[in-house]
Amino acid sequence: MDGAFQQAFAFQGVGGAMTSAVVLGMLVALFPEARDRAKAIAVFSAVGAAGGAIGTFLGGALTEALNWHWIFLINLPIGAVALVAAVRVLDADRGAGLSEGADYPGAALVTAALMLTVYTIVTAAEHGTAATLALAAGSLLLFVAFTVRQARAARPLLRLRLFRSRVLTGANAVQMAMIAGMYGFQYIGALYLQRVLGYGELKTGTAFLPAPVVIGLLMLGLSARVIGHFGAHRTLLAGLTLITAGLALLGMLPADGSYAVDVLPGMLLLGAGFAAAMPAVTGLAMGGAAEEDAGLASGLFNTTQVVGGSLGLAVLTTLAASRADTLTGQGTDVLTATADGYRLAFWVAAGIAAAGIALAATVLRPVSRPGRA
């Protein structure tokens, strides 16, 4: 990626995470009751899924009709409309501001640590074992430095006492595993449709529509009621199980596959699983934070989304490319080798999601109260 693209990508990630964190924090403040909060989070997530459905389709249409630059340019008028609406609808308030002691060193340390981690994963095959270990050690040292900084800073970027909550910490870890698999599905699934099945941009965007449509419909109609009836923990386990099953099903994609038989069933399982798991894990994460930490907890939750997606995508794409290159070097034709690389990535993603199930089953298990059976 060139410098301009990297900067744009970084700004987009930071802006999206900040906006989602603010909205999620507002929802927690506006809906203190668990049942009402579950409904609000489900609607918020469904709106996001609807945006994803429209964006997926329009992105393919714009790329095919014009060029890929328009998938970025189209967001300018949309962002302007959203900004005007926010100014008109939201109450004006003032925070402490950057002049009150923002933790610039902490922000620099954690950003550098995450970027170096992703770089280490993506370039592992090029640099060899020794260089990769050295880069990994560097990223670990940066994370340690960030932790020390947060423990000593007068106004830390992330108050470490937040992690004393077993539920909040566990929910964020589970979300990282879940998002890593879902990001892998979106990216590698698109590559499979285009490079293996030969789909164009518009057809690929259209092919992805069922997943966000299922997510949106289930979140609006069922998610909050299912969570209210069975509890967030059981709903999360069921959703993660569906996600794992969907990824495992995609792990069997053949080189001569078809969309309806080989891709769509796994896609629908992923959509249903995400519709159940996302509101559940969001409610658990936000419910595990004290009221005064709601804003920080929402920021942490959205940050783990970005981190989980970035790290998961880096690992999965690296594994897929490495596997395809190895098979091609052994004489396998490019199409078969490419499909095999994608299958490996989906199986690894399924393993990550399965680890999320194990984590949720143990760390997020409700604690029995005295006097109850």
Side-chain angles (χ1 to χ4, degrees):
M1 292 186 293
D2 60 32
F5 187 86
Q6 289 176 332
Q7 293 176 24
F9 191 79
F11 280 127
Q12 178 186 0
V14 171
M18 290 174 61
T19 304
S20 298
V22 171
V23 173
L24 190 55
M26 292 175 63
L27 289 179
V28 173
L30 290 172
F31 301 96
E33 296 296 326
R35 186 180 295 273
D36 293 336
R37 184 188 304 163
K39 293 179 181 178
I41 289 173
V43 172
F44 173 66
S45 302
V47 171
I54 296 172
T56 299
F57 176 76
L58 288 182
L62 287 171
T63 301
E64 188 161 306
L66 300 171
N67 59 60
W68 63 268
H69 298 86
W70 277 93
I71 67 174
F72 298 105
L73 295 174
I74 193 64
N75 290 291
L76 293 177
I78 296 174
V81 171
L83 178 61
V84 172
V87 171
R88 288 178 170 271
V89 174
L90 301 179
D91 295 331
D93 61 347
R94 295 185 64 85
L98 297 177
S99 61
E100 295 298 317
D103 186 15
Y104 296 109
L109 284 170
V110 71
T111 301
L114 291 171
M115 292 180 67
L116 183 57
T117 300
V118 173
Y119 176 78
T120 302
I121 295 170
V122 172
T123 61
E126 302 173 13
H127 289 151
T129 303
T132 298
L133 290 176
L135 290 170
S139 63
L140 179 60
L141 287 175
L142 287 171
F143 277 118
V144 171
F146 170 73
T147 303
V148 173
R149 168 69 187 177
Q150 299 315 288
R152 296 181 178 179
R155 291 181 179 273
L157 186 69
L158 178 62
R159 293 190 288 273
L160 298 181
R161 63 178 172 81
L162 198 68
F163 294 101
R164 295 173 185 171
S165 170
R166 171 183 61 86
V167 174
L168 184 145
T169 303
N172 277 277
V174 169
Q175 182 197 212
M176 287 185 69
M178 177 178 69
I179 295 298
M182 293 300 296
Y183 268 45
F185 153 68
Q186 291 178 324
Y187 185 76
I188 296 175
L191 291 179
Y192 175 82
L193 291 175
Q194 292 184 334
R195 296 184 178 180
V196 178
L197 299 188
Y199 283 23
E201 290 86 355
L202 178 58
K203 193 173 182 180
T204 299
T206 305
F208 266 90
L209 282 176
V213 169
V214 167
I215 292 172
L217 290 176
L218 291 181
M219 280 183 174
L220 283 175
L222 290 176
S223 291
R225 280 181 283 178
V226 170
I227 292 173
H229 186 75
F230 294 103
H233 184 246
R234 292 181 179 178
T235 305
L236 174 60
L237 289 176
L240 290 172
T241 301
L242 290 174
I243 289 174
T244 303
L247 291 169
L249 199 58
L250 292 173
M252 295 183 285
L253 290 173
D256 57 348
S258 69
Y259 172 77
V261 175
D262 300 300
V263 180
L264 185 59
M267 183 182 293
L268 294 178
L269 283 176
L270 287 171
F274 189 79
M278 192 61 190
V281 76
T282 304
L284 287 168
M286 299 309 298
E291 184 176 348
E292 64 271 18
D293 292 328
L296 181 58
S298 64
L300 175 63
F301 187 76
N302 282 278
T303 300
T304 57
Q305 283 190 27
V306 177
V307 173
S310 300
L311 293 179
L313 197 56
V315 170
L316 297 176
T317 53
T318 300
L319 288 173
S322 178
R323 175 64 173 170
D325 289 343
T326 299
L327 291 176
T328 303
Q330 295 173 352
T332 306
D333 66 273
V334 174
L335 188 65
T336 302
T338 300
D340 195 88
Y342 296 155
R343 284 197 296 271
L344 174 62
F346 280 125
W347 276 115
V348 173
I352 295 173
I357 296 176
L359 192 61
T362 53
V363 178
L364 298 181
R365 183 178 64 251
V367 178
S368 300
R369 295 183 181 179
R372 291 191 177 186

